[in-house]
Amino acid sequence: MGLSVTVKLAIIAAVGAVLCAVGGGLIKVFSNLISNEIQKQVVLTNGSEAYDAWKEMPVPIYMQFWFFDVKNSDEIANSGAKPIVKQLGPYTYQEFREKYNITWHGNGSITYQQSKKYIFRPHMSAGRESDNVTMLNIPLVTVANFLKFTPSWLKMLVSLGLVVLDESLFVQHTVKEWLWGYEDPMLQYVSKLIPSFDSKFGLFYGPTSGNLSSDGVYNIFTGELDSSQVAVVNTWNGDK
């Protein structure tokens, strides 16, 4: 004797309920597996994709610079003529960042330092690093402004030095010098009187921003304890 319609419907309902329960359980299991695998790759641990990408940038970083070359510097300085400038560039550099002194801590954080260097890329540039550019004598203007707030005797000493050195309002240097620094005779003289001045000047010259520079000691979270905190800076040079 065949099963009644009521029994068949009951069996179908029971099977459906079992399948739903099993399916719901499998979805939860697979969801947890996927979530755990994603977390493993996101957290900064040796061998994780996130760590490899963090340690060495997989995407190249480029910086481009343009300059305005002053063509009538003498007329500007002598008679206040309107500046005539020519735009030069771009001058393209590729930035490389290297993390070193990497130390792992038990509290879910890493301490490290990072150095930066810039390599000139001629094929992406409209000129050479050796191109000469005439611009405002920034060190001279900086020193002149600083002297406003110094004692008279210091003003006199610095002023005498400027006369001897025959400093001018505009100076010419190569692109490389303007960017990464050059020894300036005036700053060499001033730095002996005012130790806080550096004898070298460059638009990107400095211990934390220039070529072959290091930007301090970082301590960041690995995300091991909280994945939302991956690569969040905890301290920099010991400061929160």
Side-chain angles (χ1 to χ4, degrees):
M1 186 173 76
L3 297 174
S4 66
V5 174
T6 302
V7 173
K8 290 179 180 179
L9 290 175
I11 292 173
I12 292 172
V15 171
V18 171
L19 290 175
C20 285
V22 172
L26 288 174
I27 289 172
K28 186 174 182 180
V29 169
F30 281 116
S31 176
N32 289 336
L33 287 173
I34 292 171
S35 178
N36 290 337
E37 186 60 31
I38 290 174
Q39 186 166 350
K40 286 180 184 177
Q41 294 304 320
V42 168
V43 172
L44 296 177
T45 57
N46 270 318
S48 70
E49 291 182 9
Y51 175 76
D52 293 339
W54 169 80
K55 187 176 181 183
E56 186 173 345
M57 291 286 290
V59 179
I61 303 172
Y62 295 101
M63 295 180 68
Q64 291 188 311
F65 304 94
W66 284 262
F67 292 87
F68 288 99
D69 183 33
V70 179
K71 311 306 289 186
N72 61 335
S73 57
D74 289 339
E75 289 81 354
I76 298 172
N78 296 329
S79 59
K82 182 178 179 180
I84 298 173
V85 299
K86 179 182 179 181
Q87 180 175 295
L88 304 177
Y91 297 91
T92 305
Y93 290 80
Q94 185 172 353
E95 179 182 311
F96 293 90
R97 300 182 182 183
E98 180 185 358
K99 294 179 175 67
Y100 61 98
N101 290 342
I102 299 173
T103 304
W104 300 83
H105 303 288
N107 64 347
S109 69
I110 310 175
T111 297
Y112 68 94
Q113 290 176 268
Q114 179 176 258
S115 65
K116 294 181 290 184
K117 64 178 179 180
Y118 301 89
I119 305 298
F120 183 61
R121 295 306 187 202
H123 66 285
M124 301 175 68
S125 304
R128 300 170 298 176
E129 274 190 308
S130 58
D131 288 350
N132 286 313
V133 182
T134 300
M135 296 201 302
L136 186 68
N137 190 342
I138 299 174
L140 175 63
V141 174
T142 303
V143 170
N145 186 66
F146 179 83
L147 288 176
K148 294 178 182 178
F149 311 100
T150 59
S152 299
W153 64 267
L154 185 56
K155 288 188 180 77
M156 183 180 68
L157 283 177
V158 174
S159 298
L160 287 173
L162 297 183
V163 172
V164 172
L165 293 169
D166 193 25
E167 286 290 315
S168 57
L169 187 59
F170 293 89
V171 289
Q172 185 180 83
H173 291 283
T174 65
V175 167
K176 184 177 182 179
E177 289 172 334
W178 276 118
L179 289 175
W180 312 119
Y182 59 90
E183 287 290 341
D184 186 88
M186 180 201 64
L187 288 179
Q188 289 177 335
Y189 171 74
V190 172
S191 63
K192 294 175 183 178
L193 300 172
I194 311 171
S196 60
F197 273 83
D198 197 311
S199 64
K200 196 172 182 179
F201 170 79
L203 296 171
F204 283 84
Y205 166 73
T208 62
S209 59
N211 213 346
L212 302 177
S213 62
S214 175
D215 54 2
V217 180
Y218 290 88
N219 178 263
I220 64 170
F221 295 112
T222 63
E224 186 179 358
L225 303 181
D226 182 357
S227 59
S228 68
Q229 294 289 299
V230 173
V232 172
V233 176
N234 180 31
T235 63
W236 178 72
N237 285 341
D239 297 324
K240 286 283 188 179

